[in-house]
Amino acid sequence: MRPTMRRSTEPRRRWAAALGITALVVTGGGLLGGPAQAAATASVAVDFPTHCIPPPIAGIPPIDGTTTAQITVDDATPQVGDTVAVTYTVVVPAASNPVDLALPADIMTPTGKVTLGGAQSGDVTVAGPKKNPPVPGKGAFPSFSMTGTFTVTAPGAITLSPGDYNIHTSYIMELDTPCTVTGPPAPVSETVVATGGGQVNERAVQLSAASGQAGDEVTVTGTKFTPGAGITVAGRDGDAQTGDTTTVTADGSGAFTARLAVSDPGTTGIVAYEGGAWDAEKGAGPLAYTVTGGGEIPDGSQQLTTTVRAGTLSMTQAGDSVQLSGVDFGRGGASTGDLRAVTVEDFRGGPTGWSLTGKVTDFKGPGGARISADALDWTPSCATKPGSPSTCAAGSAGAVGSAGATLASTPDGAATGGEFTVDAGLSLDVPAFTGAGSYAGVLTLTLT
């Protein structure tokens, strides 16, 4: 048969620094961006009340103030299906640095949301770079800008209003100060007018956070992808894909959840797409993401990179023939043997498991005599090589038959792969008065 938290050694200085940072964040300022790029049409700066919660270490109660902000877009007259770039700029922070302590440059990273209304609802995630000038003691805070994109899904007037934002600071320790719009939504700062276009790609992704230190994981959720499709979630640096990638399979409704470790300091956005390469018609994003720290290369150091290439799913057999034990004419009974061991190697590195199935033909003998395929039973076994991400499960003992049965499998998961040895005990139930002679059947194994 063929078969970090960095702590200062000076508590007083740490407290003063935390106080200074808090004052910066609660007013919504602290990051100096270049002048906002010209919008397609004029937008307006708006004032809105803001409620900010300083880091607990500062010992300062929540502060309520007024933020002046402006929303601009790169295309004020898009078509349905177009991607619009959005810039959220805090123009005038509500207060100045209240302490004498000067704050150093490049310690603050802003993230936030822009609220859509009118013909299209939802939030646009925006993020800014980790870049600010030194802020003198008792000095005024500069403005900062955050950017993001959204896909137009409906014709008509779409309003854009400033939303909640957060300032992450990396000075002595890592701190966050969230600021929310009091009595949302804030006033409308920009309006785009969309006209009918081609077919709309409704795939969408959301991030659990818009920033993190190098190596942090961000949860990426997607909706309206093709049910059962393989999805690549990846970091982007402009038009180029970075080394931050993971894969997942969309469920029956086209939704997915993935955890992406972002280690490349160059990652400025995150996308998700179907197929082997980025395709705007079968993907969503990019959503802005900022690496806030942990990936810096010290002076006098060299960054070393490498690539781990994904392999294939394959199997090999220890042989292609099995001699079952003989039985006596008139008595019949079990003709037994062992399957030639099969080695399965899953080196794909994705989220998909595998299944090894088998089916057998009738056993043909002399003069047209046959033993039915349903007479062959097997008792599968499967061993997993230590260190393999997946665990192999043996199929159920029972008839193989022409319809087939499962010999072994591994489940889908966040990370799969490994090496496995699959075997089975075989038993052919030979009827008592089967004609004497040699009988042969073909057992075909299929790995998917």
Side-chain angles (χ1 to χ4, degrees), residues 360-365 368-377 399-403 427-431 434 439-441:
V360 67
T361 64
D362 288 345
F363 288 73
K364 298 179 181 180
R370 290 174 178 262
I371 301 173
S372 172
D374 293 335
L376 181 69
D377 285 7
V400 181
S402 59
S427 178
L428 179 65
D429 185 14
V430 180
T434 300
Y439 291 77

Side-chain angles (χ1 to χ4, degrees), residues 2 5 61 76 88 93 100 104 154 223 238 269 398 400 410 443:
R2 298 180 185 273
M5 199 152 107
Y88 177 176
D100 293 325
T223 55
V400 181
T410 61
L443 173 65

Side-chain angles (χ1 to χ4, degrees), residues 165-392:
Y165 59 88
N166 178 72
I167 301 295
H168 181 88
T169 57
S170 302
Y171 178 51
I172 301 178
M173 61 183 64
E174 304 292 328
L175 299 173
D176 283 291
T177 299
C179 297
T180 58
V181 179
T182 303
V188 173
S189 175
E190 174 70 292
T191 300
V192 302
V193 179
T195 56
Q199 184 176 359
V200 180
N201 174 12
E202 294 187 292
R203 295 171 180 84
V205 290
Q206 289 187 323
L207 308 181
S208 61
S211 65
Q213 293 194 73
D216 285 355
E217 286 190 332
V218 58
T219 299
V220 184
T221 56
T223 55
K224 297 190 177 180
F225 283 74
T226 301
I231 308 297
T232 298
V233 179
R236 299 271 289 189
D237 182 2
D239 293 331
Q241 184 165 305
T242 68
D244 301 325
T245 62
T246 189
T247 55
V248 69
T249 302
D251 63 19
S253 68
F256 72 84
T257 299
R259 293 185 64 82
L260 177 67
V262 182
S263 301
D264 192 329
T267 293
T268 59
I270 294 174
V271 298
Y273 58 87
E274 301 172 22
W278 166 253
D279 182 347
E281 295 183 358
K282 293 186 177 181
L287 292 185
Y289 187 88
T290 303
V291 179
T292 58
E296 299 86 354
I297 303 174
D299 292 340
S301 301
Q302 300 179 29
Q303 183 179 34
L304 307 180
T305 61
T306 187
T307 301
V308 178
R309 293 185 294 271
T312 60
L313 175 66
S314 63
M315 71 173 184
T316 56
Q317 300 179 131
D320 62 1
S321 63
V322 177
Q323 181 62 57
L324 301 179
S325 63
V327 296
D328 295 331
F329 175 77
R331 295 185 182 276
S335 175
T336 60
D338 292 315
L339 181 74
R340 294 290 188 175
V342 178
T343 300
V344 175
E345 293 181 337
D346 183 5
F347 295 157
R348 296 170 294 173
T352 306
W354 54 264
S355 177
L356 180 60
T357 59
K359 61 181 179 180
V360 67
T361 64
D362 288 345
F363 288 73
K364 298 179 181 180
R370 290 174 178 262
I371 301 173
S372 172
D374 293 335
L376 181 69
D377 285 7
W378 64 13
T379 304
S381 63
C382 187
T384 301
K385 183 177 180 179
S388 298
S390 298
T391 299
C392 181

Side-chain angles (χ1 to χ4, degrees), residues 35 39 47 52 151 188 194 197 302 332 341 351 411 442:
D47 295 334
C52 299
T151 300
V188 173
Q302 300 179 29
V442 177

